[in-house]
Amino acid sequence: MEEPFALIDRLRRAAALVAPGDDGGMESGRGFEVRLAVAQLHEIHALSEGEAASGAGLALGCALTVGARPILWLRTEAAERQGGRLHGLGLVAMGLDPAELVVVVVADDAALLRAAADGARCPGLGTVIAEGWGAMRGLDLTASRRLMLAAEASGVLMLVLRVGGQVVPSAAATRWSVASAPSRALAAEAPGAPAYDLELLRRRGGPAGARWRVEWNRDTQSFDPAPLSGARLPLVADRAVAGPAPAPVRGAG
């Protein structure tokens, strides 16, 4: 784990490499495109530990799609023990420049939420991903509202990635579930692009319940509709909806 001053210095250097993310919402261009609104909190649920890689792939893809870099990826020690470290080659294969990523491992869920709130307040970041496994104690309406307010103020894309935990009420603008899907094999039966089955569980101010199958297009940095049919790209080793952005959450008092 990095010392605080060293971490801050790395974030500043990374922020100088890229422009901040845009303020686009979920758009529908070529029939379907996952493009989460920045300056908002969104939740991604991988409903079992076996789908941790799918959750990681969706979270990273959402950040890359809107150009919300650099990325601060926060993980608990439990995530490192249960899921292994993030797979560097998988991240690069998605199209991420390693210079635009800082990974921080914290002790527990309480530390994760504190670090996420601090990161969400930092306008020099593009995306903050807070990855928690299991129950993720402390994530309630109050904590999620704090994350939303911080993201709205800074312009950061705030993603809470939950692996294997139950859905609880929160202030998130959208909530998604994700699972891996078969991908199309390339020439010579080479593994195809990562594919995902998505369900929109909640959308603040709009309908939910829709489902899609999409695959990641590294060349265009976007999710495309996926035909039904082989392999997935591991992002963990060893083992976004059409319409305008929702109304902001306002602080009271």
Side-chain angles (χ1 to χ4, degrees), residues 8-221:
I8 291 171
D9 185 57
R10 284 192 66 193
L11 291 174
R12 285 173 176 166
R13 292 200 305 271
L17 296 176
V18 295
D22 65 24
D23 59 355
M26 300 284 303
E27 295 180 355
S28 177
R30 295 157 299 178
F32 177 82
E33 184 177 323
V34 179
R35 199 164 185 266
L36 297 184
V38 299
Q40 299 283 301
L41 165 66
H42 305 273
E43 288 183 19
I44 295 171
H45 284 257
L47 299 183
S48 69
E49 294 182 2
E51 295 294 349
S54 301
L58 178 60
L60 177 60
C62 288
L64 295 177
T65 294
V66 296
R69 296 164 288 193
I71 299 169
L72 173 62
W73 198 314
L74 304 168
R75 312 184 81 210
T76 59
E77 292 177 355
E80 292 274 289
R81 289 194 304 270
Q82 295 172 253
R85 295 182 176 179
L86 294 175
H87 193 281
L89 293 178
L91 297 171
V92 171
M94 288 278 290
L96 177 67
D97 181 345
E100 298 171 356
L101 174 68
V102 174
V103 179
V104 177
V105 179
V106 298
D108 52 29
D109 291 336
L112 182 74
L113 291 172
R114 288 196 300 270
D118 289 341
R121 296 187 189 101
C122 180
L125 292 172
T127 300
V128 176
I129 301 173
E131 178 187 351
W133 286 52
M136 205 166 177
R137 294 175 181 83
L139 180 63
D140 54 19
L141 280 171
T142 300
S144 61
R145 189 166 180 273
R146 188 177 298 119
L147 294 175
M148 175 65 90
L149 289 169
E152 288 179 345
S154 66
V156 166
L157 173 62
M158 179 71 233
L159 302 177
V160 172
L161 170 58
R162 302 198 56 202
V163 178
Q166 294 295 316
V167 174
V168 297
S170 77
T174 64
R175 181 184 298 124
W176 299 79
S177 70
V178 57
S180 60
S183 61
R184 294 180 294 169
L186 302 178
E189 296 302 308
Y196 309 95
D197 284 329
L198 305 182
E199 181 179 0
L200 179 61
L201 301 176
R202 177 182 187 270
R203 179 186 174 202
R204 181 156 53 88
R211 298 175 181 236
W212 298 271
R213 176 166 292 183
V214 298
E215 63 183 16
W216 177 246
N217 187 325
R218 174 178 173 170
D219 294 333
T220 61
Q221 298 279 277

